[in-house]
Amino acid sequence: MTIQNWQGGELQMSPSTYSRLIHFLQEDLSISAASLAVALRHREQDPGPLPMILWQYGLITLEQLEQIYDWLETA
């Protein structure tokens, strides 16, 4: 994974890593496209890490949030 840096509280990653993250969310964690769309809309208004936004809006569980951050560490 190419995590570049933290910028304004947001984890910056390469487009290919971001694409793989979205795939992981949909395929491995079964996050619906609708849930992702909701999170991305909220992210435009209140920027922050996508995994945290998904969790804050109740779109994923705390266990899923941990799985996402574990995936990010090893991707």
Side-chain angles (χ1 to χ4, degrees), residues 1 3 20 68-75:
M1 175 172 162
I3 297 179
R20 289 180 16 236
I68 294 167
Y69 279 112
D70 287 345
W71 183 89
L72 286 168
E73 285 182 15
T74 60

Side-chain angles (χ1 to χ4, degrees), residues 13-75:
M13 63 183 78
S14 71
S16 96
T17 301
Y18 183 79
S19 177
R20 289 180 16 236
L21 172 61
I22 297 300
H23 183 266
F24 170 75
L25 294 173
Q26 290 181 309
E27 298 301 320
D28 292 33
L29 297 184
S30 300
I31 308 300
S32 71
S35 291
L36 286 171
V38 167
L40 292 172
R41 276 195 304 276
H42 286 286
R43 187 176 179 208
E44 290 173 5
Q45 298 168 358
D46 186 16
L50 181 58
M52 287 302 299
I53 293 171
L54 287 164
W55 179 70
Q56 288 171 335
Y57 286 93
L59 302 171
I60 61 172
T61 65
L62 187 56
E63 181 180 315
Q64 288 171 313
L65 180 64
E66 290 174 6
Q67 289 176 310
I68 294 167
Y69 279 112
D70 287 345
W71 183 89
L72 286 168
E73 285 182 15
T74 60

